Amino acid sequence: IENGCEIVRFTAPNIKEAENLANIKSELLKRGFNTPFVADIHYTPKAAELAAKLVEKVRINPGNFAEKNMPENEVEVREKIVNAVSPLIRACKENNTVVRIGVNHGSLSDRMMQKYGDTALGMVESAIEYIDVCEQLKFEDIVISLKSSNVSTMVYANRLMMAKMLERGKVYPLHLGVTEAGEGEDGRIKSAIGIGALLEDGIGDTIRVSLTEAPEEEIPVAKKILDALINR
């Protein structure tokens, strides 16, 4: 936060760690930090529901949020996702919490891999499936992210997502990032190319530079990417 980060994400993979977000937030508020917090949840819908009462945004990954023992019938698949997501959406509505539908190229579900292969289209369709469920539940406080460690896949997926949203007539904010970009010069170059190319297109609302370094080292890189565009 002191380095200028405007949104802070905490990983909370289980219920105990989701509960502890209350302690983290309370202590930071005592110290005068009121930056919005995001809880990153994988595999545990109950943890997401709990986190939604404590932080400003909850990130869920369609690739692993409700995929265990998934039925083959498409109607039953939708019903299972709706049942898994409904408690989270209810908590989000009650607490004015945002949901980030965060698709990761490296953790696409087996269903999407079988339908679309290891592709950007699979990433987009995975996001759309969850967008449809949220809209079915009358919830539109959504942010979308499509991340990959492969720069061209990440760029193409986000361009395709924007095209699909325009086609559908409803555009949600996009959070950009090249996931696991690495460290040093390589990580900085990959992030600048991927994020910068999309910002040049006018695509993207928030960004995250993902380096294999201390998290505070990511902030100056993000600022430089933005400055390069603003100065032009």
Side-chain angles (χ1 to χ4, degrees):
I1 296 171
E2 289 173 344
N3 268 15
C5 186
E6 296 176 333
I7 306 173
V8 177
R9 190 203 71 182
F10 295 94
T11 300
N14 56 46
I15 290 172
K16 186 178 178 182
E17 291 188 346
E19 289 174 339
N20 195 46
L21 291 168
N23 298 324
I24 295 170
K25 186 171 184 180
S26 174
E27 184 60 32
L28 285 168
L29 287 171
K30 282 181 193 173
R31 299 185 188 193
F33 298 113
N34 61 354
T35 300
F37 302 128
V38 184
D40 189 23
I41 311 289
H42 295 263
Y43 300 106
T44 314
K46 189 66 181 174
E49 181 187 351
L50 178 59
K53 302 171 184 178
L54 302 171
V55 297
E56 284 73 25
K57 185 192 292 181
V58 174
R59 181 266 172 133
I60 58 173
N61 182 349
N64 55 39
F65 190 73
E67 288 296 317
K68 195 174 181 181
N69 301 319
M70 192 63 90
E72 292 186 14
N73 182 282
E74 288 292 333
V75 174
E76 292 177 1
V77 166
R78 170 60 69 86
E79 186 178 339
K80 183 174 180 186
I81 295 172
V82 168
N83 290 338
V85 172
S86 290
L88 167 62
I89 298 305
R90 188 163 52 248
C92 287
K93 286 179 178 179
E94 290 170 358
N95 295 275
N96 295 318
T97 307
V98 175
V99 168
R100 171 154 69 95
I101 299 170
V103 178
N104 194 311
H105 184 211
S107 58
L108 281 175
S109 69
D110 290 341
R111 289 186 304 113
M112 291 298 165
M113 290 284 281
Q114 287 169 9
K115 277 187 184 179
Y116 305 104
D118 187 17
T119 64
L121 178 59
M123 296 170 67
V124 170
E125 292 297 333
S126 184
I128 288 173
E129 183 175 64
Y130 271 69
I131 290 171
D132 286 343
V133 167
C134 288
E135 291 179 344
Q136 181 181 329
L137 296 169
K138 311 296 184 195
F139 183 77
E140 295 186 342
D141 291 335
I142 304 168
V143 175
I144 312 298
S145 67
L146 303 160
K147 294 189 178 183
S148 174
S149 58
N150 181 296
V151 176
S152 55
T153 300
M154 172 266 190
V155 170
Y156 180 60
N158 280 279
R159 285 175 174 160
L160 184 59
M161 186 76 236
M162 179 58 79
K164 292 270 188 182
M165 287 194 293
L166 289 168
E167 191 177 277
R168 288 160 58 90
K170 180 74 178 176
V171 176
Y172 294 102
L174 283 170
H175 170 65
L176 308 180
V178 177
T179 194
E180 298 175 357
E183 61 184 347
E185 189 176 66
D186 286 353
R188 285 159 173 78
I189 290 170
K190 284 177 72 174
S191 294
I193 292 170
I195 295 169
L198 290 164
L199 292 177
E200 277 282 337
D201 289 347
I203 295 172
D205 299 272
T206 55
I207 68 170
R208 189 264 169 112
V209 172
S210 180
L211 301 176
T212 317
E213 299 177 23
E216 59 268 25
E217 297 298 327
E218 299 172 348
I219 314 306
V221 184
K223 285 182 173 180
K224 283 185 177 180
I225 293 170
L226 294 176
D227 288 345
L229 291 162
I230 291 165
N231 289 339
R232 285 184 49 214

